[in-house]
């Protein structure tokens, strides 16, 4: 079956080169986030900055599978349609947080920037999850990697492991950090916290704990069973930090449904970074949001009841004991970690984690990426 998939990729790449008769529009920018399921993440922050900094200069094409509010200079296309393929192959710049399909024969006069959708180096991904080196998926992964011109990185360890996992030469990594993390580092003049509280209809005095685990299984059949003791967690938070608390649950976008009884479903909130910026405490497991949230230096905990199984089946890029936050394998352990929380130890653990992974978050990633785009366009114009 996978061999058929590989030959299909070769066939489509050959057929789609017919689009080459249409010239590339240098100032057309194609953006995709979470494979067209949202308008968010790093592509959104780059898009927002460019529209503000260079108004009426570029044409933007957003890949999006839902209805969206109209914006000037913006066109929406559904993913996996003839329109999406056409615009992808005629845009001077392609920006995606997940890559472009292996069936897309990117042109040399185009620049593809893979912003990725996570920092740090935690669970294994890409080619590192393929057991058989003769698996056709290895070749498909290599095709995708070869078409990547710029791959954003937030730390040295990320570059080290992703260059192999995604088959991208190390010299193509831009170690400037994630655009979406810039305001986590510097703060913002926008009323992000007020926006979040208004969205969920919360009392401004209420404290928020956010639980956002990654998925289990594989894409297309991803799942997650909620095992966390919400009431016990909230009681521990009240004892340690005081005040009234609400529990927000945000599922991974690969997971279609998850039980959110006893908590507030935050799955539809459009911007994860705004949630991380706002919440008082964050709980996850093996998700790369560990990295993003660590930049805030706020209290965080890891809840991983299936740790042994997950480590055996998928494994990690770095020692979990060195991660930014302590790990609990049971609800009792999680509650004890909360009750024993020490702010100085939390900061020390985060700083050590950043040092071990080689932190490269600049707080100016968006500006760096946009500068890279403009430099590419200047070179193409002079070619």
């Amino acid at each position: 079956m996978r061999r058929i998939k590989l030959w299909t990729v070769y066939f489509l790449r050959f057929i789609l080169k017919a689009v080459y008769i249409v010239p590339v529009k240098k100032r057309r920018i194609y953006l995709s986030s979470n494979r067209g399921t949202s308008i968010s993440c790093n592509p959104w922050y780059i898009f927002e900055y460019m529209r503000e900094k260079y108004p009426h200069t570029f044409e933007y094409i957003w890949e999006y599978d839902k209805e969206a509010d109209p914006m000037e200079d913006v066109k929406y296309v559904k993913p996996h349609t003839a329109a999406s393929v056409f615009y992808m192959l005629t845009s001077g710049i392609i920006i995606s947080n997940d890559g472009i399909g292996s069936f897309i024969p990117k042109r040399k006069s185009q620049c593809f920037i893979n912003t990725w959708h996570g920092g740090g180096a935690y669970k294994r991904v890409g080619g590192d999850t393929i057991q058989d080196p003769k698996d056709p998926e290895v070749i498909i992964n290599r095709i995708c990697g070869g078409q990547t011109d710029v791959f954003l990185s937030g730390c040295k360890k990320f570059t080290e492991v992703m260059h192999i996992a995604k088959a991208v030469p190390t010299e193509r990594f831009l170690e400037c950090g994630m655009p979406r993390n810039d305001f986590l580092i510097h703060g913002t003049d926008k009323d992000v916290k007020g926006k979040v509280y208004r969205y969920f209809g919360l009392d401004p005095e209420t404290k928020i704990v956010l639980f956002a685990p990654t998925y289990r299984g594989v894409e297309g059949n991803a799942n997650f069973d909620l095992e966390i003791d919400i009431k016990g967690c909230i009681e521990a938070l009240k004892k340690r930090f005081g005040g009234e608390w609400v529990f927000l649950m945000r599922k991974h976008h690969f997971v279609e449904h998850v039980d959110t009884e006893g908590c507030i479903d935050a799955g539809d909130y459009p911007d994860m970074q705004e949630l991380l910026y706002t919440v008082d405490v964050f709980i996850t497991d093996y998700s790369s949001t560990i990295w993003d949230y660590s930049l805030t230096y706020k209290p965080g905990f890891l809840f991983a009841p299936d740790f042994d199984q997950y480590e055996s089946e998928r494994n990690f890029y770095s020692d979990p004991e060195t991660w930014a936050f302590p790990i609990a394998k049971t609800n009792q352990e999680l509650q004890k970690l909360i009750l024993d929380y020490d702010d100085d130890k939390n900061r020390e653990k985060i700083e050590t984690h950043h040092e071990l992974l080689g932190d490269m978050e600049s707080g100016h990633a968006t500006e760096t990426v946009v500068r890279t785009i403009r430099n590419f366009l200047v070179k193409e114009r002079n070619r």
Side-chain angles (χ1 to χ4, degrees):
M1 192 67 179
R2 289 186 173 181
R3 183 65 60 179
I4 294 174
K5 178 181 177 181
L6 178 60
W7 283 110
T8 301
V9 166
Y10 284 142
F11 175 74
L12 289 173
R13 289 179 66 83
F14 176 76
I15 293 296
L16 291 176
K17 286 184 179 181
V19 181
Y20 283 14
I21 63 172
V22 181
V24 169
K25 285 197 171 185
K26 302 302 180 185
R27 293 186 176 275
R28 175 179 288 167
I29 300 179
Y30 190 97
L31 303 115
S32 175
S33 183
N34 299 330
R35 305 188 184 183
T37 62
S38 66
I39 297 177
S40 62
C41 197
N42 293 308
W44 166 258
Y45 282 89
I46 296 169
F47 163 77
E48 192 176 41
Y49 179 91
M50 291 187 73
R51 288 192 79 224
E52 181 179 341
K53 194 78 173 177
Y54 307 104
H56 314 299
T57 303
F58 298 94
E59 174 192 7
Y60 301 97
I61 311 295
W62 264 105
E63 180 181 278
Y64 190 47
D65 64 0
K66 304 176 184 67
E67 294 300 318
D69 295 332
M71 287 188 281
E72 190 176 1
D73 302 325
V74 178
K75 180 180 179 64
Y76 300 98
V77 294
K78 303 292 184 184
H80 313 301
T81 61
S84 70
V85 172
F86 173 81
Y87 282 111
M88 197 180 298
L89 284 171
T90 58
S91 296
I93 307 294
I94 304 171
I95 302 173
S96 169
N97 75 344
D98 200 6
I100 55 177
S102 55
F103 65 93
I104 297 292
K106 188 189 77 72
R107 301 155 81 164
K108 291 182 180 179
S109 58
Q110 296 178 288
C111 178
F112 168 49
I113 301 173
N114 192 333
T115 71
W116 203 235
H117 48 271
Y122 306 103
K123 61 179 186 287
R124 291 180 179 269
V125 300
D128 289 332
T129 63
I130 303 172
Q131 303 298 322
D132 183 2
K134 296 181 180 179
D135 192 318
E137 289 290 343
V138 173
I139 299 175
I140 291 174
N141 189 51
R142 196 177 302 135
I143 291 171
C144 293
Q147 297 194 133
T148 304
D149 298 293
V150 180
F151 205 122
L152 301 192
S153 172
C155 67
K156 293 288 185 182
K157 186 67 175 181
F158 180 93
T159 303
E160 175 190 322
V161 300
M162 291 296 280
H163 124 77
I164 297 172
K166 304 303 289 185
V168 177
T170 53
E171 61 270 19
R172 297 185 187 177
F173 281 80
L174 182 58
E175 293 178 327
C176 64
M178 303 283 112
R180 70 186 190 190
N181 287 340
D182 287 347
F183 90 97
L184 292 182
I185 296 171
H186 292 302
T188 177
D189 57 357
K190 298 178 181 178
D191 183 21
V192 170
K193 292 186 178 182
K195 177 182 175 183
V196 171
Y197 272 83
R198 288 190 295 272
Y199 183 91
F200 293 107
L202 301 176
D203 184 326
E205 298 301 316
T206 303
K207 295 181 179 179
I208 302 174
V209 54
L210 172 65
F211 179 46
T214 189
Y215 66 97
R216 306 301 191 272
V218 296
E219 181 185 354
N221 190 31
N223 62 82
F224 178 78
D225 294 323
L226 188 65
E227 298 180 45
I228 193 167
D229 178 1
I230 297 174
K231 288 184 178 180
C233 182
I234 289 178
E235 285 303 312
L237 289 167
K238 285 181 178 180
K239 288 181 182 178
R240 173 59 186 82
F241 298 102
E244 293 300 315
W245 288 78
V246 292
F247 192 104
L248 267 59
M249 163 72 183
R250 185 179 178 90
K251 66 179 181 61
H252 190 279
H253 67 271
F254 279 177
V255 180
E256 290 191 11
H257 303 290
V258 67
D259 179 18
T260 55
E261 184 178 353
C263 59
I264 297 174
D265 185 357
D268 289 334
Y269 191 83
D271 194 325
M272 179 60 168
Q273 307 314 99
E274 291 184 352
L275 293 179
L276 295 179
Y277 182 80
T278 300
V279 301
D280 300 280
V281 170
F282 181 56
I283 302 173
T284 185
D285 44 17
Y286 323 107
S287 169
S288 59
T289 50
I290 294 170
W291 180 259
D292 297 23
Y293 185 72
S294 72
L295 300 172
T296 71
Y297 289 90
K298 293 188 292 185
F301 306 94
L302 308 181
F303 180 61
D306 61 345
F307 179 88
D308 295 333
Q309 179 184 354
Y310 198 94
E311 182 180 37
S312 174
E313 293 178 355
R314 187 156 182 170
N315 213 342
F316 309 108
Y317 286 124
S318 55
D319 182 357
E321 289 299 320
T322 68
W323 292 357
F325 306 108
I327 302 172
K329 295 182 180 179
T330 67
N331 279 294
Q332 290 74 22
E333 289 179 4
L334 174 61
Q335 291 164 29
K336 187 174 189 308
L337 286 176
I338 293 171
L339 293 170
D340 294 343
Y341 172 80
D342 181 275
D343 196 55
D344 291 335
K345 289 182 179 179
N346 178 68
R347 174 168 283 274
E348 182 181 351
K349 188 168 177 59
I350 290 172
E351 289 175 346
T352 300
H353 180 62
H354 288 172
E355 184 178 350
L356 286 172
L357 266 59
D359 178 19
M360 296 298 291
E361 292 282 354
S362 65
H364 301 283
T366 310
E367 299 169 39
T368 303
V369 173
V370 173
R371 191 182 310 121
T372 300
I373 291 172
R374 291 183 63 81
N375 289 342
F376 172 81
L377 293 176
V378 169
K379 287 180 181 178
E380 283 299 305
R381 188 173 66 235
N382 295 334
R383 183 171 294 180

